[in-house]
Amino acid sequence: MTDLIPAPRAIEGPMRCGVLLDHETTLWAAPGTQTTERWLRSTLGAALGLPLRPGPEDARGCVRLLLDDSLEAEAYRLSVVAGRGVEIRGGDPAGVFWGAQTLRQLLGPEAFRRAPVRPGRTVGIPHQTIEDAPRFRWRGLLLDVARHFMPKDGVLRYLDLMAAHKLNVFHFHLTDDQGWRLEIKRCPRLTEIASWRSRTKFGHRASPLWEEKPHGGYYTQDDIREIVAYAAERHITVVPEIDVPGHSQAAIAAYPELGNTDVIDTSALSVWDTWGISPNVLAPTDNTLRFYEGVFEEVLELFPSQFVHVGGDECRKEQWSESPAVRNRIADLGLADEDELQSWFIGHFDAWLAARGRRLIGWDEILEGGLAEGAAVSSWRGYGGGIAAARAGHDVVMCPEQYVYLDHRQAPGEDEPVPIGFVRTLEDVYRFEPVPPGLTEEEARHVLGTQANVWTEVMEDAARVDYQTFPRLAAFAEVAWSRLPAPADRDFAGFERRMAAHYARLDALGVAYRPPTGPRPWQKRPGVLGRPKEGPPPNK
């Protein structure tokens, strides 16, 4: 049994005879496959100490890359033929790249290192043919860098980890109450003030513990250009998220006029240092709209993604309810209440983005009060939002917290560091089904795909992010890529067997994953208060 993750669609072989890769192996790349050619030399070649020099297409033992329009988008055919070499055909450049990721797994864990551990060693691959293609076109990972900032090198590392698992959408959560992480040149206080908080709650918001030092950081616009280009070389789309109208206290701390100044003294606000949902939300004024239009103009210059995420979730309405100015705004617009006001706010940016050739996507709360025709929905509160969106003709990305919020704890017991939410084991994630039951075939076509979300309130550094994300991201990647049976019929025991080999790959990559036997001593956080929830999560 081949130990590939995610599982490919079909395999013929492997057989004992095969192909040897050594210093004489050459690389031939047809037009359109240059990103994979560069990746093979810079990453795979560096790991194994193979120069992979250019050579003719018919060279014996050559690695050949080419496009094949008989294959679907992102599909590939990897052929290892004794006496001929390795050939990767892709339905498009991305398909060739995903085929190269499979080749890397076939070469063993040493192929996942940054330099050769056994220089001069010849690597053999058995004779076989692998046919493969993804189930979903949106196979995403959200990384929250607003709650705990991840320096640029860490972000680039996660793009590599995504590529190794054939994930192709990086949802970059850049702003929240606790920090603003993106340089906006016309609004310098967003990075001077909003990117730093004076201290940080350690653990759940009910924890008495604090880290009494400033925390923050931001990405310059050149950092973002580098991240986007690095992702594009790996056929990953970066979708930025700029939260409106809630989750905005950091922005209001930098620019107090954005808040509800007739309700509170917004000039006294600072970047939030604890967790939860801040009541300090944007005022629905023309000034606020113009401010964020300026922000989004710079966002569009940096991110070529078709989709722009605007948040739209967990917008507390107390200040709107108490504000005479907001009540007048509701009346002037002919709206019924604060829910319709939020819908109007989101609708404004939907139209603004659409006029510039982009599409708005937001969390499922944007369905409340009506949703603009072109908007898409990230369904996080369960299946309900996704079902409603698909039945209304909106595209949807399924990311229900009951299954794929990777900040939720991985096991019961006191050893799990800062236990949050429901127990979501590796098997639970493996048995997640992204397409909600009950949708018609036409409605199901609106499910663009699925996404795992990594919220970092209780993840203070990269090691904690690794621990919460892996190995569950490997299970999620198989759900997103492979055409698996119904959840109850999935071969989790077989997946566990393949994971035995995959752990060695993660070790070579330096991933601080949760071992199957439980956390290592240094991965625990004894005495740090979490928020565990008992019993199975609600399935709705």
Side-chain angles (χ1 to χ4, degrees):
M1 175 64 183
T2 302
D3 57 14
L4 298 174
I5 290 178
R9 186 174 291 182
I11 302 176
E12 291 183 14
M15 304 177 185
R16 288 188 178 276
C17 59
V19 172
L20 297 178
L21 300 186
D22 56 25
H23 276 72
E24 302 303 317
T25 300
T26 56
L27 175 60
W28 179 84
T33 67
Q34 289 83 4
T35 57
T36 303
E37 178 187 17
R38 287 191 291 270
W39 182 86
L40 282 170
R41 288 205 177 96
S42 65
T43 302
L44 197 59
L48 299 174
L50 303 179
L52 297 176
R53 299 180 182 87
E57 180 183 4
D58 58 356
R60 183 180 177 86
C62 180
V63 176
R64 288 177 292 281
L65 311 175
L66 61 159
L67 301 177
D68 185 338
D69 59 12
S70 70
L71 300 174
E72 60 191 279
E74 295 194 272
Y76 68 88
R77 181 184 299 117
L78 170 62
S79 303
V80 182
V81 180
R84 176 157 171 75
V86 178
E87 180 178 277
I88 302 174
R89 292 176 173 265
D92 57 9
V96 178
F97 184 72
W98 304 133
Q101 296 301 321
T102 296
L103 173 64
R104 187 188 198 185
Q105 291 196 19
L106 295 175
L107 293 169
E110 291 181 14
F112 289 80
R113 297 189 178 274
R114 295 190 182 185
V117 294
R118 293 174 181 82
R121 177 171 174 254
T122 298
V123 186
I125 317 172
H127 180 109
Q128 60 195 296
T129 299
I130 299 172
E131 302 261 3
D132 205 4
R135 179 185 178 191
F136 294 109
R137 59 188 172 111
W138 185 301
R139 307 180 302 280
L141 174 69
L142 176 146
L143 184 61
D144 168 24
V145 297
R147 272 54 174 268
H148 277 100
F149 179 65
M150 179 177 284
K152 180 193 67 179
D153 285 353
V155 175
L156 299 179
R157 173 176 175 263
Y158 259 81
L159 291 170
D160 281 329
L161 291 171
M162 288 179 64
H165 292 83
K166 299 185 174 73
L167 300 175
N168 70 340
V169 178
F170 179 56
H171 181 157
F172 208 6
H173 182 77
L174 288 162
T175 75
D176 218 292
D177 299 309
Q178 296 85 3
W180 182 287
R181 307 295 177 216
L182 174 64
E183 179 187 27
I184 301 296
K185 291 187 179 296
R186 72 188 71 190
C187 309
R189 294 207 299 272
L190 288 174
T191 45
E192 293 169 1
I193 296 171
S195 69
W196 290 92
R197 59 179 180 260
S198 61
R199 62 176 186 168
T200 298
K201 176 70 72 171
F202 193 39
H204 181 249
R205 60 180 176 271
S207 168
L209 304 176
W210 294 89
E211 186 178 40
E212 296 284 357
K213 66 178 183 181
H215 175 87
Y218 66 91
Y219 308 102
T220 68
Q221 294 201 353
D222 278 348
D223 289 337
I224 294 296
R225 292 184 182 98
E226 180 183 359
I227 288 167
V228 169
Y230 195 86
E233 282 281 305
R234 286 145 185 81
H235 299 276
I236 295 170
T237 299
V238 183
V239 175
E241 179 176 350
I242 306 295
D243 259 309
V244 296
H247 288 287
S248 298
Q249 181 167 324
I252 298 169
Y255 291 91
E257 65 271 21
L258 297 174
N260 295 284
T261 56
D262 59 342
V263 176
I264 65 163
D265 178 9
T266 56
S267 65
L269 291 177
S270 59
V271 178
W272 218 23
D273 58 11
T274 190
W275 314 125
I277 307 170
S278 170
N280 296 299
V281 301
L282 298 175
T285 63
D286 288 342
N287 175 66
T288 299
L289 297 179
R290 301 293 89 77
F291 181 94
Y292 274 88
E293 286 170 1
V295 168
F296 281 118
E297 282 179 6
E298 296 193 29
V299 168
L300 298 191
E301 291 173 1
L302 296 168
F303 296 93
S305 164
Q306 177 190 17
F307 287 97
V308 176
H309 208 291
V310 300
D313 62 315
E314 299 179 325
C315 179
R316 291 175 59 173
K317 308 295 197 304
E318 299 99 305
Q319 290 181 0
W320 285 2
S321 298
E322 297 168 9
S323 166
V326 172
R327 287 198 296 271
N328 290 337
R329 185 70 153 169
I330 290 173
D332 291 344
L333 293 170
L335 303 175
D337 54 25
E338 290 82 5
D339 285 341
E340 285 195 6
L341 180 64
Q342 179 174 348
S343 178
W344 168 83
F345 196 104
I346 296 297
H348 173 87
F349 286 103
D350 178 76
W352 189 90
L353 289 167
R356 289 154 181 80
R358 306 296 184 96
R359 290 184 66 187
L360 179 145
I361 185 169
W363 302 109
D364 53 54
E365 287 96 328
I366 68 174
L367 289 163
E368 298 164 4
L371 183 58
E373 181 179 352
V377 171
S378 301
S379 185
W380 75 273
R381 293 182 294 180
Y383 282 122
I387 292 170
R391 286 179 174 165
H394 295 286
D395 289 338
V396 59
V397 176
M398 293 304 303
C399 47
E401 71 166 325
Q402 299 94 326
Y403 290 95
V404 291
Y405 268 38
L406 300 185
D407 53 317
H408 282 221
R409 57 192 173 129
Q410 302 188 61
E414 297 180 356
D415 284 345
E416 289 303 306
V418 199
I420 297 295
F422 297 102
V423 173
R424 296 287 80 192
T425 65
L426 184 66
E427 182 172 0
D428 290 329
V429 175
Y430 191 67
R431 297 195 188 279
F432 165 56
E433 172 49 49
V435 178
L439 293 183
T440 67
E441 185 176 341
E442 178 63 29
E443 291 165 349
R445 290 195 187 99
H446 285 291
V447 179
L448 300 177
T450 184
Q451 178 173 291
N453 294 344
V454 180
W455 300 104
T456 62
E457 285 95 332
V458 299
M459 302 180 208
E460 71 277 8
D461 55 32
R464 280 287 290 124
V465 174
D466 279 6
Y467 179 90
Q468 292 298 134
T469 304
F470 289 96
R472 292 183 295 181
L473 192 68
F476 171 80
E478 185 146 312
V479 168
W481 177 277
S482 306
R483 295 183 183 274
L484 299 175
D489 299 327
R490 293 177 187 172
D491 182 10
F492 180 68
F495 175 76
E496 282 190 305
R497 286 192 295 272
R498 287 181 285 123
M499 277 301 299
H502 200 65
Y503 286 122
R505 300 173 190 136
L506 296 178
D507 285 332
L509 287 165
V511 177
Y513 58 85
R514 181 191 189 275
T517 54
R520 297 179 173 96
W522 57 88
Q523 293 175 320
K524 301 175 184 180
R525 296 291 186 276
V528 181
L529 186 66
R531 187 195 55 177
K533 296 181 180 179
E534 301 304 327
N539 186 14
K540 59 183 180 178

